[in-house]
Amino acid sequence: MSESHTPTSGSARLNTGVAHNARVWNYWIGGKDNYEVDQQVGDHVASIIPVIRDIARADRDFLGRAVAYLTRERGVRQFLDIGTGLPTADNTHEIAQRIAPDARIVYVDNDPIVLVHARTLLTGTSEGATDYIDADVHDPGAIVERASATLDFSKPVAVMLLGILNFVLDTEKAREIVRRVMAEVPSGSFLVLTHPTFDPEVGGELQVPAMEFWNANATPPITARGAADITAFFDGLELVEPGLVSCSQWRARAEPGADLVVPQYGAVAVKP
C-alpha cells in the first residue's frame, strides 16, 4: 500500500451548515455520512425530480460494471478515479483488486468530508496499491504529477470522471481538463465518464429546475449538458459499445433494473 497524501487538517474545512454534494449523494444511496441539512435539500430535490435516487444508484452500479469490464476483459491494472466521493461498498479498488489483486488505484478529491473518510479507501491488497490525493479537478497537471507516485503513466490507465465534470460549469474548461489528463496517458488507456443531462429523450427535463434549486441552496454549483456536449468529451477516443447511453443501461444485460432509463449518460472510450 502506498503512502497517503491525505492532510490531517481535512476536517477543518468542513461546513455542516450548507448541504454539500458528497453528503447529499451519500444520503441518496442510503449512506450515513450526511447531516440534516443534506437530507432536507436531498428530499426537496427528490420532490422536484423523483428519479434522483435512481440516478445515484445507477451511477454507482455503472462504476461497478465499468471497472469490472476494464479489469477482466481489457486487462486494465491502473485506475485514476477523479472525484471519487465518499467511500461506500464496492469502491473502485475493491472491485478491481477482487479480479486483479495487483491493480493500482489512485483516488482524487478535494472535498473536506471525503478527506476525513479517505483512509477507508486505502485498504487495498498487499499485491496492489491504493492511494488518495487531495487535489482539484481544475488542476489536472497537479493530479497527474501526484498520481505518478503510485501509477506508471507509461502503461494504460483508466481515467474515471464519474459525475464530476458537471461541477465544471464552463464547458470548454471541462473539455480542456479531459484533454490534458488523457494527453498524459498512453495508447490503450480508457476514459470512463458519467454526466447528468437535460435531454428529454432520457427524462432529463426535470434536471433544470432541480439544479436551479440546488445552486441556490447547496454547494458546489452544478450543470447538466446535452448528449452532443457530453460526447465531445470523448473527442479523439474510440467509444466502447454501446457508446453514450443512460448509465443505467450501459452493459447492464439482464441485471435487475436494466430497463430503467435515467437522465445520466455514461460511456467508456479507449485511447487509440
Side-chain angles (χ1 to χ4, degrees), residues 6 33 35 85-87 112-122 132:
T6 305
D33 296 311
Y35 298 96
L86 283 163
I113 196 168
V114 178
L115 280 173
V116 172
H117 293 269
R119 291 192 181 277
T120 304
L121 295 170
L122 300 175
Y132 179 95

Side-chain angles (χ1 to χ4, degrees), residues 15-21 23-24 37-39 41-42 214 217-220:
N15 180 356
T16 60
V18 177
H20 196 284
N21 176 71
R23 301 191 307 254
V24 176
V37 65
D38 306 304
Q39 297 164 19
V41 169
W214 174 271
N217 294 277
T219 188

Side-chain angles (χ1 to χ4, degrees), residues 196-208 224-231 244 261-265:
T197 184
F198 46 66
D199 287 352
E201 295 85 353
V202 289
E205 58 272 10
L206 295 178
Q207 292 273 33
V208 174
R225 292 184 170 98
D229 278 336
I230 298 171
T231 300
L244 186 76
V261 177
V262 298
Q264 177 106 333
Y265 284 124

Side-chain angles (χ1 to χ4, degrees), residues 106-255:
V106 171
Y107 293 103
V108 183
D109 213 307
N110 74 331
D111 185 319
I113 196 168
V114 178
L115 280 173
V116 172
H117 293 269
R119 291 192 181 277
T120 304
L121 295 170
L122 300 175
T123 54
T125 61
S126 58
E127 302 97 320
T130 58
D131 198 4
Y132 179 95
I133 59 177
D134 177 26
D136 194 316
V137 68
H138 292 87
D139 193 354
I143 290 173
V144 171
E145 179 182 2
R146 296 176 64 185
S148 65
T150 301
L151 304 180
D152 180 353
F153 280 86
S154 70
K155 298 178 180 179
V157 176
V159 177
M160 307 190 60
L161 292 165
L162 273 62
I164 184 67
L165 292 179
N166 36 286
F167 297 109
V168 182
L169 303 187
D170 184 284
T171 298
E172 187 49 46
K173 286 183 180 178
R175 289 177 184 168
E176 180 61 20
I177 288 167
V178 176
R179 284 193 291 263
R180 289 184 61 189
V181 175
M182 296 308 295
E184 297 295 332
V185 297
S187 174
S189 294
F190 290 84
L191 174 62
V192 185
L193 184 149
T194 61
H195 197 296
T197 184
F198 46 66
D199 287 352
E201 295 85 353
V202 289
E205 58 272 10
L206 295 178
Q207 292 273 33
V208 174
M211 289 182 176
E212 287 175 350
F213 172 82
W214 174 271
N215 291 344
N217 294 277
T219 188
I222 190 170
T223 188
R225 292 184 170 98
D229 278 336
I230 298 171
T231 300
F233 291 134
F234 296 94
D235 284 353
L237 308 176
E238 296 175 358
L239 284 166
V240 171
E241 290 293 333
L244 186 76
V245 295
S246 171
C247 67
S248 59
Q249 298 189 314
W250 191 87
R251 294 180 174 256
R253 298 186 175 91
E255 292 182 15

